[in-house]
Amino acid sequence: MGSLERRLQHLAAIVEDSDDAIITKDLDSIIQSWNRGAESLFGYTAEEAIGQPITLIFPQGRQDEEAGIIEKIRRGQRIAHFETMRRRKDGGLVPISVTISPMHDGSGRVVGASKIARDISLKREIEEQQHMLLSEMRHRVRNCFAVAGGLLRICARQADSIEELLDMMQNRFQALSRAHDLAVPLPDPDEKKSADVNLHEFVSSILTPFIGGTEPRIAIENCRVADAAITPLALVFYELCTNSVKYGGLSTPRGDLVITSEREGDRLRILWSETCEIDDFGKAEDHEGFGTKMAQTAIAAYLDGTLTRSFTPTGLRAVLDLNYERVTDAQRTVSAASDADNAVSDA
């Protein structure tokens, strides 16, 4: 075997074993070769793909891309790091980054193209997470200033002196910091497991820094809050309080807030009802901010629930419809109690 043949075999082995999809096609867009990476990425075997048009893996609406690609290849142009979507055999879509290079024959004439495609699903996911975190950060920064302004107005109505105003604001900010920690906990490997959290006390602790002259009426079930439910619930109540102190029932001495709950089967419904004058009722009803969407996503993902809001000319009604077992971890509690009874019985 000559050295050239060995080199060609070596290159062929590299191509075949590459994790990237490496595909060749002619100028009629017919697939000529299809390596194992392509089989893994797109789901078609080489036998299924070779001889088929490359549009086999194009999703609906992307078919026109191929004409533009072939036109550039005919001119000898290389297309580098082109990001697009392709379709797997099972119908699923996958985002890819593809580099396409012209292939020449012995006389230098362009006869086809080779393309290297890489799955960039993880890259897209990271970019989306970064975008979400940036949006959340912007939202929280804006809220901090708005909440500070709302609390200042509340304290200014109650304080009789500058010194009293400063003390009241300092106490509010400290309580606000504790409420914020509930909504955005930082992992601490040295922190011991906290004691059981009671739903009534939990909601009250979040409301504390936002309360003005009128005490909200809270009549909700006195149940345990599961560890996994603390963050999503805190996120929702913190968001409701923030909006209320900015322009809702907690922003005015004439405002009112009532929080109740009801059980029906495996569902726990928490009703948030605030009374206030909404100056721009139409916009308030139509607008759904980032914070509300974030809270709705958390409730759906962690508590198998929903958050809905409805506006009236005199206030807001929000309903949290939650899975009771997710909120309280009731199944685990029952199981633990049963294990304890068995242990006593065995003793």
Side-chain angles (χ1 to χ4, degrees):
M1 181 184 296
S3 61
L4 178 59
E5 188 176 353
R6 284 196 299 270
R7 287 174 60 192
L8 290 175
Q9 287 184 349
H10 179 64
L11 289 174
I14 292 175
V15 169
E16 185 60 26
D17 294 335
S18 173
D19 290 334
D20 292 332
I22 301 178
I23 304 166
T24 61
K25 62 184 179 182
D26 61 21
L27 293 179
D28 292 323
S29 299
I30 302 300
I31 298 170
Q32 304 297 308
S33 68
W34 184 271
N35 75 336
R36 291 196 186 100
E39 290 183 343
S40 176
L41 180 57
F42 299 114
Y44 292 97
T45 64
E47 289 76 14
E48 292 173 317
I50 293 174
Q52 297 294 320
I54 193 66
T55 50
L56 174 73
I57 58 172
F58 281 44
Q60 195 69 27
R62 298 270 183 173
Q63 306 287 333
D64 293 343
E65 287 181 3
E66 181 61 12
I69 291 171
I70 287 296
E71 182 181 346
K72 290 181 179 180
I73 292 298
R74 288 183 185 276
R75 295 199 299 263
Q77 296 180 6
R78 181 172 181 265
I79 303 170
H81 307 300
F82 170 53
E83 293 191 4
T84 186
M85 298 291 292
R86 291 294 178 257
R87 186 183 61 206
R88 303 181 195 268
K89 182 180 178 180
D90 62 9
L93 299 181
V94 56
I96 64 168
S97 174
V98 60
T99 295
I100 310 172
S101 303
M103 295 173 56
H104 304 83
D105 62 12
S107 64
R109 183 170 56 95
V110 176
V111 294
S114 65
K115 61 194 308 179
I116 302 175
R118 177 170 296 178
D119 185 349
I120 57 171
S121 299
L122 181 58
K123 174 177 176 286
R124 288 282 179 88
E125 184 178 339
I126 292 173
E127 288 174 349
E128 289 175 3
Q129 289 175 347
Q130 289 174 336
H131 177 72
M132 176 66 73
L133 288 172
L134 181 60
S135 298
E136 182 176 349
M137 182 183 71
R138 288 173 175 167
H139 172 73
R140 291 190 182 280
V141 169
R142 286 196 300 266
N143 264 356
C144 284
F145 288 109
V147 168
L151 294 181
L152 183 59
R153 288 193 301 272
I154 291 172
C155 293
R157 291 196 297 263
Q158 298 173 318
D160 295 325
S161 66
I162 295 297
E163 290 74 16
E164 186 178 1
L165 176 62
L166 291 174
D167 287 340
M168 291 175 67
M169 286 299 295
Q170 184 176 20
N171 292 334
R172 293 294 177 100
F173 282 141
Q174 289 174 348
L176 187 63
S177 177
R178 290 191 293 271
H180 185 74
D181 287 342
L182 288 173
V184 190
L186 294 176
D188 184 353
D190 297 325
E191 185 178 353
K192 295 181 180 179
K193 184 181 182 301
S194 60
D196 284 350
V197 177
N198 175 283
L199 181 60
H200 189 284
E201 295 175 355
F202 172 77
V203 173
S204 297
S205 68
I206 297 175
L207 276 167
T208 297
F210 299 94
I211 295 173
T214 304
E215 286 279 342
R217 287 168 287 166
I218 305 176
I220 56 179
E221 184 164 340
N222 201 21
C223 61
R224 172 185 182 273
V225 180
D227 294 343
I230 288 176
T231 297
L233 280 177
L235 196 64
V236 172
F237 283 109
Y238 186 83
E239 188 66 26
L240 288 170
C241 287
T242 297
N243 290 335
S244 184
V245 83
K246 284 194 290 186
Y247 36 67
L250 296 177
S251 67
T252 170
R254 298 182 301 277
D256 187 31
L257 173 61
V258 179
I259 307 173
T260 60
S261 70
E262 59 187 29
R263 279 267 301 280
E264 183 177 339
D266 64 347
R267 309 302 296 179
L268 172 65
R269 294 186 182 89
I270 301 176
L271 313 177
W272 171 290
S273 180
E274 57 181 287
T275 302
C276 60
E277 293 296 329
I278 299 179
D279 294 333
D280 200 342
F281 169 58
K283 286 185 178 179
E285 187 174 26
D286 293 337
H287 178 68
E288 187 175 88
F290 175 79
T292 300
K293 292 178 182 178
M294 183 171 60
Q296 289 171 332
T297 300
I299 288 295
Y302 294 99
L303 299 178
D304 183 25
T306 59
L307 167 64
T308 56
R309 303 182 308 159
S310 58
F311 292 90
T312 70
T314 58
L316 163 71
R317 175 183 169 88
V319 180
L320 281 74
D321 188 335
L322 312 169
N323 184 312
Y324 183 76
E325 286 190 1
R326 294 281 188 89
V327 173
T328 63
D329 204 4
Q331 194 65 40
R332 187 195 67 81
T333 304
V334 170
S335 177
S338 177
D339 290 344
D341 290 342
N342 291 337
V344 171
S345 179
D346 291 342

